[in-house]
């Protein structure tokens, strides 16, 4: 346990010019006192860890010290080769760079771990695109990927529903969601962070100026928040539904997850038959009809009245198709 922590401490100090005891403690999930003891242990083992005193001080490695990756365990080495998505790297124009990096890492591994790339690739494969659609690579993706890596501003024309707009953007990150590429970028004029579908860009021109990234920007966190807000924003109508226990179980798999979660969290206690009544946010009555039809007899729509009448008509037509029950 301690050996792995010491290796991680060395790698952290290799990746940054200097780190405070508090920063190391947070990364290593230990106390600052433990960081001090670990630094002393590394120094005694010949690793040149130096502690700068004072308010601006911290720990650093001196003399350009580098360690080889011989401390990787097999599970760590195999996980390393799962960290990329080959198709996504190829679409961003980074396939050659990723291949070269993997070769260098492979060469640095112990002989007993040299098969890690093959064992990982034969056991796990990530297929990002959604079913029943032919994935298309946006022509402007490589230009935007280069701008993201270089922290370079771009001048972009973006197609909206009714017009095309021009914006100076600061590209912060790229997201691949179900085969569709998105750009998370700050609008230079307003300073607001927004998300754009890359296939809706009409043109992107790289600008010579660079921008200063927010040091605490968290791309996964930003994307999760955006996705949650978008999913909730399209739920503009409500229906009241009575659900059987089986209907409760199947609801999150039938309707939009944010709507199902909100409805079930606000549900009252079950009635005498074990059914619960929920108020379900939906995109529209038309969409709700298609979604709730999948629940069949496990759901009874109570309101609005127009939607309830539609389900009653559906039930009558279905009964007529099958006729009276047979013995």
């Amino acid at each position: 346990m301690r050996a792995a922590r010491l290796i991680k401490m060395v790698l952290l100090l290799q990746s940054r010019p200097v780190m405070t005891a508090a920063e190391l403690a947070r990364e290593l999930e230990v106390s600052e006192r433990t960081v001090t003891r670990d630094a002393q242990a590394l120094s005694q083992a010949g690793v040149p860890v130096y502690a700068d005193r004072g308010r601006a001080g911290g720990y650093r490695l001196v003399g350009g010290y580098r360690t080889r990756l011989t401390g990787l365990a097999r599970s760590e080495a195999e996980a390393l080769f799962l960290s990329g998505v080959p198709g996504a790297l190829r679409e961003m124009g980074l396939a050659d760079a990723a291949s070269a990096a993997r070769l260098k890492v492979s060469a640095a591994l112990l002989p007993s771990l040299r098969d890690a790339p093959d064992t990982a690739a034969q056991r796990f494969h990530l297929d990002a695109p959604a079913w029943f659609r032919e994935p298309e690579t946006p022509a402007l993706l490589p230009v935007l990927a280069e701008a993201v890596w270089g922290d370079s501003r771009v001048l972009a024309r973006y197609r909206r529903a009714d017009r095309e707009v021009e914006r100076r953007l600061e590209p912060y990150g790229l997201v691949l969601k179900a085969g569709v590429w998105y750009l998370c970028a700050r609008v230079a004029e307003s300073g607001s962070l927004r998300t754009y579908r890359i296939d809706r860009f009409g043109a992107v021109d790289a600008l010579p100026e660079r921008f200063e990234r927010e040091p605490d920007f968290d791309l996964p966190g930003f994307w999760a928040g955006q996705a949650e807000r978008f999913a909730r924003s399209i739920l503009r109508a409500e229906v009241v539904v009575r659900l059987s226990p089986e209907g409760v179980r199947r609801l999150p798999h039938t309707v939009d997850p944010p709507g199902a979660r909100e409805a079930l969290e606000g549900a009252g206690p079950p009635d005498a038959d074990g059914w619960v009544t929920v108020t379900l946010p939906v995109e529209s009555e038309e969409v709700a009809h298609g979604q709730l039809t999948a629940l069949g007899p496990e759901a009874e729509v109570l309101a609005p009245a127009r939607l309830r009448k539609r389900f009653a008509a559906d039930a009558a037509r279905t009964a007529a198709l099958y006729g009276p029950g047979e013995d």
Side-chain angles (χ1 to χ4, degrees), residues 10-242:
V10 173
L11 294 175
L12 285 169
L13 292 173
Q14 279 186 189
S15 64
R16 307 180 196 179
V18 63
M19 293 185 69
T20 66
E23 290 172 335
L24 284 168
R26 185 166 56 251
E27 292 283 351
L28 300 172
E29 298 181 348
V30 296
S31 67
E32 294 186 28
R33 180 172 295 182
T34 299
V35 168
T36 300
R37 288 198 296 264
D38 286 352
Q40 292 172 348
L42 287 171
S43 181
Q44 293 170 1
V47 178
V49 178
Y50 181 78
D52 290 316
R53 305 294 181 183
R55 294 183 60 187
Y59 292 93
R60 60 186 176 88
L61 294 174
V62 297
Y65 178 85
R66 308 291 295 177
T67 183
R68 293 171 58 86
L69 291 176
T70 51
L72 284 177
R74 169 167 291 278
S75 60
E76 295 170 332
E78 291 174 345
L80 178 65
F81 291 94
L82 291 174
S83 60
V85 184
L89 292 170
R90 183 173 59 252
E91 292 176 5
M92 288 189 291
L94 298 174
D96 291 342
S99 177
R102 288 192 178 94
L103 285 174
K104 291 178 181 179
V105 173
S106 296
L109 292 172
L110 288 171
S112 61
L113 300 180
R114 296 281 168 81
D115 64 339
D118 296 329
T119 58
Q122 293 305 319
R123 286 165 173 78
F124 300 98
H125 174 66
L126 178 58
D127 185 9
W131 286 101
F132 311 120
R133 64 184 303 171
E134 191 67 27
E136 296 183 3
T137 303
L140 297 172
L141 177 60
V143 178
L144 289 168
E146 186 174 350
V148 168
W149 281 115
D151 293 340
S152 302
R153 285 195 177 100
V154 298
L155 183 64
R157 291 201 300 274
Y158 188 75
R159 295 188 300 274
R160 287 186 171 176
D162 55 346
R163 68 189 191 282
E164 190 174 73
V165 297
E166 187 174 84
R167 295 283 186 272
R168 283 197 316 135
L169 300 177
E170 298 174 351
Y172 266 59
L174 297 169
V175 176
L176 177 60
K177 170 71 172 179
V180 180
W181 282 96
Y182 295 86
L183 173 71
C184 300
R186 184 178 296 283
V187 181
E189 290 79 5
S190 65
S192 59
L193 278 165
R194 298 182 184 178
T195 302
Y196 301 88
R197 275 187 61 143
I198 292 181
D199 57 9
R200 292 180 183 169
F201 282 110
V204 175
D205 297 316
L207 298 175
E209 60 209 61
R210 292 169 56 86
F211 66 91
E212 192 74 23
R213 293 175 64 92
E214 290 186 14
D216 58 348
F217 176 74
D218 174 24
L219 179 60
F222 173 77
W223 175 259
Q226 290 285 99
E228 178 73 16
R229 282 191 291 273
F230 172 76
R232 188 62 187 85
S233 69
I234 64 175
L235 304 179
R236 302 186 179 93
E238 288 184 344
V239 298
V240 180
V241 188
R242 185 168 171 261

Side-chain angles (χ1 to χ4, degrees), residues 305-321:
R306 181 172 52 187
L307 185 59
R308 178 178 173 83
K309 289 180 180 178
R310 186 171 179 179
F311 272 98
D314 290 345
R317 290 173 57 198
T318 301
L321 286 173

